Amino acid sequence: MNYTLHQLQIFLKISELQSITKASEELHLTQPAVSIQLKNFQDQFPIPLTEVVGRRLFITDFGIEIAQAAEKILGQVQEINHKTVAYQGKLSGRLKISVVSTGKYVMPYFLSDFMKEHDGVELSMDVTNKTKVVRSLERNEVDFALVSVLPEKLQVYGVELMPNKLFYVSNYQRNFPKSFSKRHLFEKIPLIYREQGSATRNAMESFISHHHFTVNKKMELTSNEAVKQAVISGLGCSIMPLIGIKNALKNQELKIVPIRGLPIITNWNLIWLKSKNLSPAALAFLDYVSRNKENIIKEKFNWIKDF
């Protein structure tokens, strides 16, 4: 047998996602490239690793065992790499962070200089909705999570980073009556929501429920960027985090509609399980954030105070 580490990585990802298409997207490879590597890997075994039933890909029992072995091999290779770097006197290891989708506008700025200082540290950052972020933390799959609303059922430590402000926004061209009520905005204009499990959606629904509004027409989209583009196009209005619409406001694509009771203000928090034994890389990052957060906020996010 003459399979490569690259083939092991590809097959492991296919087995995790049960899809060549999804694996190619996560690995940033073309679908044909992944298919070719899967075939080359399969050709080295006399027993099928996968099977297709009703146009769906399934991993065979033998394939599951090979995937488990591949995971162990790749883990040992990673350990060798980390030990080599550590022997050279550098900080090494993998830093794993799960970030709520709007947090992608925040977290990179707290990571950039740290990663430059410690090139032996590998970064794995998953961007998803709050429900999945909390699940990853609960299952001990990540070192840290970035959330704007603290989970109620988990025992966590946290570092408060900066405010998260949510405003009612429309596209710049939309005209409103000279005098309009909040009820008009929520009952007459289509409202665009994030998907279930999103902290932004939870905040929006809480605000609407508190004011006893009825939303007659709504749409649901699965990312902050998709909501932003939908509002810019004139499909409707939404309550959106300020952090993700800075350029759209500057370019007069969006405008904030002043409403009493808004903005909704929460705080970005970097959290970790109280029971978590943080790795040297995670401890170093936590120390870096604690020492540098004020300077990072001042340099990168001072504009938030203008709203």
Side-chain angles (χ1 to χ4, degrees), residues 3-16 23 27 29 34 37 41 67 70-71 73-75 77-78 81 94 122:
Y3 45 77
T4 65
L5 292 175
H6 185 53
Q7 289 172 344
L8 290 176
Q9 290 170 333
I10 287 174
F11 180 66
L12 181 59
K13 186 59 66 176
I14 291 171
S15 70
E16 289 174 357
L27 294 168
L29 298 171
V34 171
Q37 290 300 323
F41 188 59
E71 186 173 19
I73 292 169
L74 292 170
V77 169
Q78 195 174 79
N81 293 337
R94 172 169 286 193
E122 298 177 13

Side-chain angles (χ1 to χ4, degrees), residues 285-296:
F285 177 63
L286 188 59
D287 177 65
Y288 170 83
V289 169
S290 298
R291 286 186 292 105
N292 294 281
K293 69 172 186 174
E294 297 300 332
N295 286 335
I296 294 171

Side-chain angles (χ1 to χ4, degrees), residues 126-265:
D126 180 41
V127 181
T128 183
N129 66 37
K130 183 196 172 187
T131 298
K132 293 179 180 178
V133 167
V134 173
R135 187 184 304 144
S136 294
L137 192 67
E138 186 176 18
R139 293 176 178 175
N140 198 32
E141 295 171 348
V142 295
D143 300 307
F144 300 105
L146 182 70
V147 296
S148 58
V149 179
L150 294 174
E152 296 179 357
K153 297 181 180 180
L154 293 183
Q155 296 294 313
V156 298
Y157 292 117
V159 175
E160 188 175 290
L161 299 183
M162 52 186 279
N164 179 38
K165 299 181 180 180
L166 292 89
F167 290 88
Y168 184 99
V169 296
S170 78
N171 73 341
Y172 201 80
Q173 291 74 32
R174 185 181 290 273
N175 295 316
F176 295 91
K178 288 185 178 180
S179 61
F180 58 87
S181 65
K182 286 188 287 187
R183 193 168 298 278
H184 170 86
L185 295 177
F186 288 95
E187 296 184 359
K188 300 298 182 182
I189 300 174
L191 194 62
I192 303 173
Y193 285 71
R194 282 286 307 280
E195 79 283 5
Q196 291 285 353
S198 159
T200 299
R201 178 179 180 132
N202 292 342
M204 182 189 298
E205 290 182 330
S206 177
F207 180 83
I208 292 169
S209 175
H210 178 74
H211 289 86
H212 307 291
F213 297 144
T214 300
V215 178
N216 292 325
K217 187 176 182 180
K218 65 181 181 181
M219 288 168 268
E220 181 178 301
L221 300 176
T222 57
S223 75
N224 190 70
E225 191 63 29
V227 172
K228 181 170 70 176
Q229 294 303 325
V231 175
I232 290 172
S233 72
L235 275 173
C237 295
S238 189
I239 293 178
M240 299 193 67
L242 177 64
I243 195 73
I245 59 174
K246 175 186 177 183
N247 289 336
L249 292 171
K250 182 179 178 180
N251 297 333
Q252 296 188 339
E253 297 173 314
L254 291 179
K255 62 182 176 184
I256 292 173
V257 181
I259 299 177
R260 183 177 296 177
L262 292 177
I264 300 167
I265 301 177

